[in-house]
Amino acid sequence: MADFTLTAEPFLGRFEQHYDDVKLREIYDVAVVSAAIPLRKLTAAKKAVRAAFGVDLPEVGLSALSQDSAMRILRLGTDQAFVVFPRAQQDTGAEPHIADLLGGVFYTTDQSDVWVTLELSGAGARRALERICPLNLAPDAFGIGAVARTSMEHLGTVIIRTCDDSFLLMSASSSAHSFLHAIETSIANTA
Amino acid sequence: MIINHPLLGPRDAAEFVYLGDAALIDRPDPEAENADEKFYEYGYLRDNPAGEHQELWYHEQGDRSWLVVTRDTLTHEITSVKLARDEAKKRGRDK
Amino acid sequence: MSQQTHRISGGLIDRSSTLGFTFNGKPMQGHPGDTLASALLANGQRLVGRGFKYHRPRGIFTAGSEEPNALIELRSAPHQEPNTRATVTELFDGLTATSQNHRGPLEFDFMAVTDLLYPFLSIGFYYKTFMWPKAFWEKIYEPIIRSSAGLGSLSMQEDPDTYDKGFLHCDLLVIGAGPAGLAAALTAARSGAQVILADEDHRAGGRLNAETYDIDGISGTEWAAQTLAELSAMDNVRLMVRTTVYGAYDHGVYGALERCTDHLASSDGKPRQVLWRIYSKRALLTAGATERPIAFGNNDRPGIMLAGAVRTYVNRYGVTPGKQVAIFTNNDDGWRTATDLAAKGVYISAVIDARDIEPPATVAGAAVYMGSSVVDTAGRRGLHSITLASGERIESDCLAISGGWSPNVHLTCHQRGKPQWRDDINAFVPGGTLPAGMQVAGAANGALSLGAALRDGADCAARTLADLGIKSKASKAPTASDEAHRSSAYWHVPESRPRAWLDMQNDVTVKDIKQSYKEGFRSVEHLKRYTTLGMATDQGKTSNIPALAIMAECTGKTIPETGTTIFRPPYTPIPMGALAGRARSKDFRPYRLTPSHKWAENNGATFVETGNWLRAQWFARPGEKGWRDSVDREVEMTHASVGICDVTTLGKIDIQGKDTAEFLNHVYTNAFLKLPVGKVRYGLMLREDGIAYDDGTTARLGENHFVMTTTTANAVLVFRRLEFARQCLWPGLDVHLISTTDGWAQFAVAGPNSRNLLSKIVDAPFDLSNEAFPFMACSELTICGGTPARLFRISFSGEMAYEIAVPARFGNAMMGALMEAGKEYDAVPYGTEALGVMRIEKGHAAGNELNGQTTALNLGLGGFVSKKKDCIGKTLSLRPELNRDDAIRLVGFKPVDHSQTLLAGSHFITKGETANMANDQGWMTSVAYSPTFGHSIGLGFIKRGHERKGEIIRVVNPARNIEVEAEIVSPHFYDPEGGLQRG
Amino acid sequence: MTILEKYSYPNPETLKKQHLKGAIMRYSAFEILKQGLSGNKGWKPVWREPEPKAEYDVIIVGGGGHGLSTAYYLSKVFGMRNIAVLEKGWLGSGNIGRNTTIIRSNYMMPGNQPFYEFSLKLWEGLEQDFNYNAMVSQRSILNLFHSDPQRDAFVRRANAMILSGADAELADEAQLRRELPFLDFDNARFPIKGGLYQRRGGTVRHDAVAWGYARGADSRGVDIIQNCEVTGFDIENGVCTGVQSSKGRIRAKKVAVCVAGSSSRVMSLAGMRLPIESHVLQAFVTEGLKPTLPGVITFGAGHFYVSQSDKGGLVFGGDIDGYNTYAQRGNLPVVEDVAEGGMAIMPMIGRARLLRSWGGVMDMSMDGSPFIDKTHIDGLYFNGGWCYGGFKATPASGYCYAHLLANDTPHPVAKEMRLDRFKRGHIIDEKGQGNQPNLH
């Protein structure tokens, strides 16, 4: 019946910009699935994660890469984790995929469209983040793999350290432009 | 202020939303005989102590956990931070 | 160079380049490294401003942030900065400065006449008069007072500069980079601790830059430079100059202001200042001490300065404030000014020491007066001579006064600290409970000699390291001699007859303190408030202690018995722009955009702020004369065929878990246990106090999977409350919440052709028929050839309607697709105004009705409060006064004369009764012009409304001076039977 | 007839005719001249420093604005003389000494409006009444609105005010552009669409209010005893017979508590729990500036209100910090939040500098409205729950409390301010925030 097809649009139009010692880009092809651990099912959940990803469910505040490095599991709370992984722009099958992988143990919700994801990298990344991120991002306090939710310029943000000088920043997709503006301003102000 | 989250470590209190006395966990039994009196006290009367105060904070810009924070209302010193869920269970709220 | 009449050799200025600036339009010159004050003095400019109350000539009094007098307007509009201290303003090329608070030229201020009226302007005179005639206060007296008050002016134009904020973390924050701070930072940094060293000056080193002391065998200035170089090279140290730590907040949080471009002619697009929030594990206050004056007659003339400041100008800036300098001291340190100046070849006319002791030093060529004092001075616009108690006059164009040093305890008072008096140094030192994690070292802690300050700084740092478990790497503390700093408790010259000034900026004199005592304002707080002592921009940094001492004299008590002065943040004033950071204009708060925002922009939408969201308010078409035309059309076309509205802003909460239905039963007033999969139910939430809180629909997508919608305004708040219910009230339930508001682009498709439209985009074999997908059905499905979607058969408009959701990234395309599919039905996009009109026509409550003051009963939703089960708010909703017979009820209103307009906010008065609040019957909450009915309609709360249908009521709006009559009707104007939405 | 007219209360015009009696020095321009010519040596103490007597008819606990005005009106209007005010610190050291000095009666609910309008009327005659210039300045108060729903709520409020006999005036954007051109009309995140003026609102020199009331009460024989902390109540068989204090036991026929932020602490000494939490409200002042702002302005889309004092400082504030505290200090997030609100509506204040900040402990009630009531203990009375609005209420609070103490019946304009109202379900919630004090 349908004569119409819908084309997905990245929230920030695949933004990418290089500055002196900083690079900022939208990671537009990323799937995010939240996985909630049912009450009193932590053991089963841990087992499911191990089986699905070949790694242990990380502790709260940490993330782990799956054995094949294809997926990153973020433990955001006692009973909540996010699974973040690449996907095709039009692909909408992230949630059932993860639900299957986890053997139905978790309550899964597709969060791909809730978040806009930016990667901020380069030697000046921390210097720029200093202007908007209240967390201590020193390597001994927030090492590689660390994840936290906080607020930057009035916007809720998930921050993940992926390398020494590379961070993934996730914020609400509806305010993607304001979020980008906040990060860009930080880069400009510290250039 | 800094709240030392039991799972996440020290965080600026600005990430949290304050509710009030941790006695708000103790919602009265609606079936009790004097439920209206109990709910009135629960809803409205507060010890409001000058000194140690157990209170509820919600980590809205964080892991969305409700915390029971023990804080001195004269000095603002925080002596204990617990997950409210654990505290609620301890008080028998999980039946 | 020729005009720099007072420039002498030496100093830490760069003579290789010259900077031009103007003062009151007069061109002058200085050098990099100068402050505006040092440059003014170098140019021989002593008179720089006028006093606040009596408009007396005033000059530069200090060399630092404690300056009470030398306040100028810096730069010009719109960059104009009032009340700027010349003593901390770094000179830059092209600087313009203007003096403040005078009428006519600075030299001939007409307002100086007030000085003659001083007997009638004693403290508190304004509390005792200006009461009659009453009307004169606001019309005459107060405007006069106001225009004389204040010093500088704002440009009244938008601040053109930008500001930023930032967050820093450290093991040890060292506040003040003088000798103690440097010694401490060095000790901590060498041991590997993360150290922030902040100093308000542009050149770290503190008094070392202004003195001629030696440390470890080299000059103190050189030692400071070497130490700073070492610290700068360490990556565990952040050295922050031009940075004032202005406040100590709870749990080791400090506020700091970094001035990034204030020393430049232009900020060049960069933030002018950065406001830092510093999270420290420990802090060390090494803020030094402030010299205080001695009060005597006419001690406020330009040319009279603190002795340490005179030394600073000579040693650091290579400027002598005078050519015949006299010194008046009560302590040994004052003599240092004499010897330093003499060494530089400045002529010292006299040294007057209030103490009758052996002179502590010899000063070549100077007359020495021990046990003497200065009782008066002369010189109209600057000092000419001083008069001693003996009556002797001494020619002098600069008088350096030293009344001893007060430790800078300010930050120790920001929480519960209460300074304590030390008789041995005649000063308050930090006391009481210091901010947690704070220590104090050096002069700020009463260690007034250089040797002691260095030792104290290093020791404190070592203790802090131990406390933090960082192994201290032994390094030898720097050493210096312990110079003499004996002082005496000598605060003012009692023999002096003319007015003797204490608070130079607020013009408070010794006599004023005595009068305050006499009138009963004796506690320190009363004294401060009655005389305004210490309330000026310098916060009494130089005046508080002498004033306290004089009050102690009056009461016969000791100084500590009389009281202490507690300082509040900020340490020095902080620009509002910096406190606000980036949050101004459009950046005040983030924007949330709906998924179809771009489409709406391209299709004539006018947007409206709804919380942080921007929503399409209406979509204008060519030829429409005003918003009403567009809105009427959108309503009519929706009713007639089909309309589409982006409703993504409604909160969406994904709720999963095997106990979800039970959980919903707790939080909603109505029952949810038996809601079948594939169905949607309207739900009403109360606050625990029984007042209606929020409403929305909840769909059951699976046995354990629900999707709740909330109002746009309450999305975050409802989520918070649900988490509270889940974690704190019913932690035994298996329920999990996650917000998906931003994840789904959701559109209302409303109107008789909504089904026809949707049938063109849903993928087969989904059956949209009324039988298969009736009112309040919901389903997951795919559309447009495989895009996952959620479909809800719900209606806010009263029409047959759906809400369809797709992943947000498809939202913009979806709006286009819906419009394209709707083309044949003349589908219309509608905005929030049309949405509002239709919901009023249908009688749905929204924010104006769910305003936190109304109950389910008031809203006509009493039936939604289940009698069979408990829910949040139920018990307290049963309280008697919330259930009175004459409780207000939500009803509809239509004007008796259909041409008249109803206005929201009007009140209802029963016909025949006087319009006053005693007769108030309720108020109109929401109104709209209904194109459907061709007249204005309204919703409102009125007492016993449900029993008053048909009554004609007065709708009064005295604020708008309008009154109309309206008939009370059912709130459900449109399709009251609900046939359309089911159809 | 408005509600106010219906209730009888002394007309400020008649009040002011009752001049001060006794030995007190009358303040006037003449006296200033006289004293000025004799070297300002003849000024007398404004109040005595008495030791407590063994017994009083009424003991007022708390020498802040409300306590002092209660004493003043008890002695002046209700003819009682044997009164003591016990103050833990120095008189006027409560929130009367640390507020943002605003007076207004722009309230909406019937339980509040007549009371605050009564208060505003008393302010209007206060200085002539107590012969002290407290600089009551009716410079106007303006509440800006930024959206249609906000406008609707303000229209409702404006009408309620007018129907209660108060003044209210709606201004549209064009008018505000003319009157306040420095507001950000063109680039604001939340556009200014109009405002609600109360022209009779304004500011008062807060300390002077305490001093004026203290002077007036003292001159009528009221003992104001400073540095006297109440440490307990003598309660026998459900009757309060006096207090224990740091200056010993003092008997009283009636004990009237009005201790604002310390309400819960003090009433707990009588075994009572209150519908009150203590929170801190921060306030701020900038350096002195030449005339900048005409009246009080409040920002409807952020947390900011501001006025300019007679001394030239911009006095401003915003929300309470939001957590229970008895410490008179706040924290940074609120400071910055308030400044953000300020810069959002008037970006011309960017280069004005914040000079001082301070915090006051507020007795935040469960519906944002106060209490003036008897307690279940005979002879013990309570006045509190003023939230951050106690200053403007000072005259009416004192007057109505005095009325209650003198007659044992509530003053008509304060009759809803009862402690049992929550049990009955009679909520006076202007903001619609419910039983969470930090939201009011």
Side-chain angles (χ1 to χ4, degrees), chain D residues 296-332:
Chain D
V296 186
I297 300 172
T298 75
F299 179 31
H303 310 124
F304 182 73
Y305 58 90
V306 64
S307 65
Q308 187 170 22
S309 77
D310 280 341
K311 284 208 66 189
L314 304 182
V315 181
F316 62 100
D319 256 3
I320 56 174
D321 267 38
Y323 44 80
N324 285 51
T325 178
Y326 284 89
Q328 288 179 338
R329 64 167 193 272
N331 275 292
L332 274 179

Side-chain angles (χ1 to χ4, degrees), chain A residues 89 107-108 174 186 188-189, chain C residues 164 270 582 656 734 742 809:
Chain A
Q89 178 66 28
Y107 299 117
T108 48
S174 64
S186 296
N189 284 354
Chain C
D164 208 355
K270 288 284 186 231
R582 300 178 192 172
Q656 298 194 53
D734 182 37
D742 284 27
R809 76 194 106 134

Side-chain angles (χ1 to χ4, degrees), chain A residues 4 9 37 39 79 89 91-92 107-109 111 113 130-131 134 154 172 174 178 181-182 186 188-189, chain C residues 164-165 167 169 238 270 582 587 589 591-593 598 654 656 726 732 734 736 739 742-743 784 788 809:
Chain A
F4 306 94
E9 295 170 34
I37 304 166
L39 200 68
D79 60 355
Q89 178 66 28
D91 179 29
T92 53
Y107 299 117
T108 48
T109 305
Q111 289 271 297
D113 293 75
E130 216 163 59
R131 296 294 173 92
H154 303 283
S174 64
S178 291
H181 175 63
S186 296
N189 284 354
Chain C
D164 208 355
K165 290 186 189 171
F167 305 88
H169 302 258
R238 187 170 185 130
K270 288 284 186 231
R582 300 178 192 172
D587 290 342
R589 291 292 179 262
Y591 281 100
R592 298 180 77 182
L593 304 181
K598 219 187 310 168
D654 195 79
Q656 298 194 53
R726 180 180 90 94
D734 182 37
H736 300 270
S739 168
D742 284 27
C784 298
R809 76 194 106 134

Side-chain angles (χ1 to χ4, degrees), chain C residues 932-979:
Chain C
T932 315
F933 299 102
H935 60 78
S936 185
I937 58 173
L939 297 176
F941 290 107
I942 188 165
K943 289 179 180 173
R944 297 178 193 270
H946 61 307
E947 295 169 357
R948 295 171 72 167
K949 297 203 177 118
E951 182 182 326
I952 307 297
I953 190 97
R954 292 174 62 193
V955 181
V956 302
N957 194 340
R960 300 265 194 225
N961 208 14
I962 293 172
E963 176 170 342
V964 299
E965 288 190 345
E967 181 187 345
I968 302 173
V969 296
S970 157
H972 312 296
F973 295 93
Y974 189 71
D975 185 32
E977 310 306 320

Side-chain angles (χ1 to χ4, degrees), chain C residues 66 68 290 292 410 502-506 532-546 565 567, chain D residues 355-356:
Chain C
E66 69 272 31
T290 299
R292 58 202 181 212
H410 305 70
L502 286 163
D503 185 324
M504 300 262 185
Q505 194 178 131
N506 271 351
T532 73
L533 175 100
M535 308 285 269
T537 66
D538 61 329
Q539 297 195 16
K541 288 190 175 73
T542 57
S543 59
N544 283 349
I545 305 291
T565 61
F567 297 94
Chain D
L355 171 63
R356 216 170 31 252

Side-chain angles (χ1 to χ4, degrees), chain C residues 596-615:
Chain C
S596 65
H597 187 82
K598 219 187 310 168
W599 188 94
E601 266 182 339
N602 294 336
N603 286 274
T606 294
F607 294 96
V608 62
E609 293 76 10
T610 310
N612 283 350
W613 289 99
L614 268 192
R615 299 187 72 180

Side-chain angles (χ1 to χ4, degrees), chain D residues 163-430:
Chain D
L163 293 174
S164 304
D167 67 308
E169 181 188 320
L170 294 162
D172 62 10
E173 188 195 325
Q175 182 186 343
L176 295 180
R177 275 182 185 268
R178 283 194 306 277
E179 293 178 7
L180 307 165
F182 52 82
L183 296 182
D184 189 352
F185 288 99
D186 298 319
N187 204 25
R189 172 70 179 81
F190 298 102
I192 296 166
K193 296 200 165 171
L196 166 61
Y197 267 117
Q198 183 175 32
R199 300 277 182 188
R200 285 165 61 243
T203 58
V204 180
R205 170 80 182 95
H206 56 112
D207 288 318
V209 177
W211 302 338
Y213 276 126
R215 175 169 168 267
D218 177 87
S219 72
R220 290 179 175 81
V222 173
D223 285 349
I224 303 169
I225 301 157
Q226 305 186 61
N227 301 306
C228 179
E229 181 172 4
V230 168
T231 54
F233 296 98
D234 290 326
I235 297 167
E236 293 153 27
N237 306 320
V239 181
C240 182
T241 58
V243 301
Q244 298 136 33
S245 81
S246 56
K247 299 202 178 200
R249 249 177 109 159
I250 312 172
R251 288 194 306 279
K253 296 195 179 81
K254 293 179 177 179
V255 175
V257 175
C258 46
V259 293
S262 299
S263 289
S264 297
R265 214 163 25 168
V266 170
M267 295 308 279
S268 76
L269 300 173
M272 285 180 70
R273 291 172 86 214
L274 298 176
I276 283 175
E277 289 179 5
S278 296
H279 288 262
V280 66
L281 179 72
Q282 299 189 66
F284 312 89
V285 65
T286 68
E287 296 177 345
L289 298 164
K290 291 295 178 197
T292 304
L293 301 180
V296 186
I297 300 172
T298 75
F299 179 31
H303 310 124
F304 182 73
Y305 58 90
V306 64
S307 65
Q308 187 170 22
S309 77
D310 280 341
K311 284 208 66 189
L314 304 182
V315 181
F316 62 100
D319 256 3
I320 56 174
D321 267 38
Y323 44 80
N324 285 51
T325 178
Y326 284 89
Q328 288 179 338
R329 64 167 193 272
N331 275 292
L332 274 179
V334 169
V335 183
E336 296 179 20
D337 186 58
V338 171
E340 288 175 9
M343 285 297 285
I345 52 162
M346 39 178 83
M348 56 82 176
I349 60 172
R351 299 176 103 84
R353 297 190 199 88
L354 180 139
L355 171 63
R356 216 170 31 252
S357 64
W358 63 94
V361 180
M362 307 290 138
D363 37 340
M364 300 298 296
S365 74
M366 286 285 166
D367 59 358
S369 293
F371 310 96
I372 301 176
D373 205 357
K374 303 182 204 181
T375 68
H376 68 283
I377 299 162
D378 271 356
L380 181 63
Y381 298 75
F382 178 71
N383 172 324
W386 294 97
C387 302
Y388 43 76
F391 177 69
K392 72 179 93 66
T394 305
S397 170
Y399 196 101
C400 295
Y401 204 20
H403 184 283
L404 177 71
L405 288 162
N407 303 327
D408 267 326
T409 55
H411 188 281
V413 298
K415 68 181 166 43
E416 305 292 0
M417 296 173 176
R418 302 259 305 273
L419 277 163
D420 70 351
R421 67 174 180 263
F422 299 122
K423 203 180 270 186
R424 292 183 283 123
H426 186 94
I427 305 159
I428 313 174
D429 186 354
E430 292 271 338

Side-chain angles (χ1 to χ4, degrees), chain C residues 199-213:
Chain C
D199 197 282
E200 62 177 349
D201 204 330
H202 64 273
R203 184 181 182 109
R207 288 297 302 170
L208 293 177
N209 293 329
E211 304 285 4
T212 52
Y213 300 127

